[in-house]
Amino acid sequence: MGRGRITVTPGFLFLMAWCNYADQQGLLLPALAGCALHELGHLAAIWGLGGSVRRLRLTAVGAEIQLERPMSYPGELAAALAGPAANLAAAWLCCRAEGGALFAGLNLALGCFNLLPVGRLDGGRALHCLLSMSIGPAAEEAEAVLDRVFIAFLLALAQHRGNFGQKARHHLRLHPQQNILCLCGGLAV
């Protein structure tokens, strides 16, 4: 089982520099730790299923894991769900620890966001595997339709929740860290 190599793109470095500059609340390191935990969940599942990683590429829009050879649909499903599972487990464990609410909230948001059944997110990959196992070649067509429907639903939900969220934040007058947790929770729900 090869461990592959790690490639970091200039976009990733630029994004990290900008986030470090803009980070007024100390969220960057806990967020990066949550992202690392997420990718380690994927890698553990891949290696546990006998897969071999060619390359881990860090980009401005996320991490891409390239395998030496494709996995079976059940194996790919397990690997896709392992990242969000690692985040949700960390959120559950950290919410019980004193001072762990911020890390728990970040992991909850990251895990739930990645489970959305859209495009290249882990939920989209899981949906692809499930559709491919159940309906075969028609999966790509069904995926495209479901992707559009779900994105339209998310946009409508964001519009509705956005109006609600503005009113709630105005009335509650939350501390800046609580605003971030509300935002993360709003994205996750």
Side-chain angles (χ1 to χ4, degrees), residues 94-175:
C94 290
C95 76
R96 297 173 174 342
E98 187 175 330
L102 175 65
F103 192 62
L106 289 169
N107 274 285
L108 178 64
L110 184 61
C112 290
F113 177 76
N114 273 283
L115 284 174
L116 294 175
V118 178
R120 296 181 56 154
L121 294 177
D122 296 328
R125 288 179 47 222
L127 179 63
H128 169 75
C129 292
L130 291 170
L131 288 173
S132 295
M133 288 188 292
S134 61
I135 61 175
E140 284 187 36
E141 218 172 290
E143 235 178 291
V145 170
L146 289 172
D147 204 35
R148 288 185 187 103
V149 167
F150 196 72
I151 288 174
F153 171 74
L154 285 177
L155 289 172
L157 183 64
Q159 175 63 36
H160 173 72
R161 303 259 320 165
N163 292 337
F164 173 76
Q166 286 178 342
K167 292 174 189 170
R169 280 191 300 277
H170 174 73
H171 292 295
L172 295 175
R173 304 206 192 292
L174 298 174
H175 184 274

Side-chain angles (χ1 to χ4, degrees), residues 8-16 19 57-64:
V8 179
T9 65
F12 177 81
L13 294 175
F14 177 75
L15 178 66
M16 290 302 102
C19 286
R57 187 168 180 248
L58 302 176
T59 71
V61 293
E64 300 170 358

Side-chain angles (χ1 to χ4, degrees), residues 167-188:
K167 292 174 189 170
R169 280 191 300 277
H170 174 73
H171 292 295
L172 295 175
R173 304 206 192 292
L174 298 174
H175 184 274
Q177 279 188 327
Q178 293 169 319
N179 281 332
I180 293 296
L181 289 176
C182 286
L183 172 65
C184 292
L187 287 173

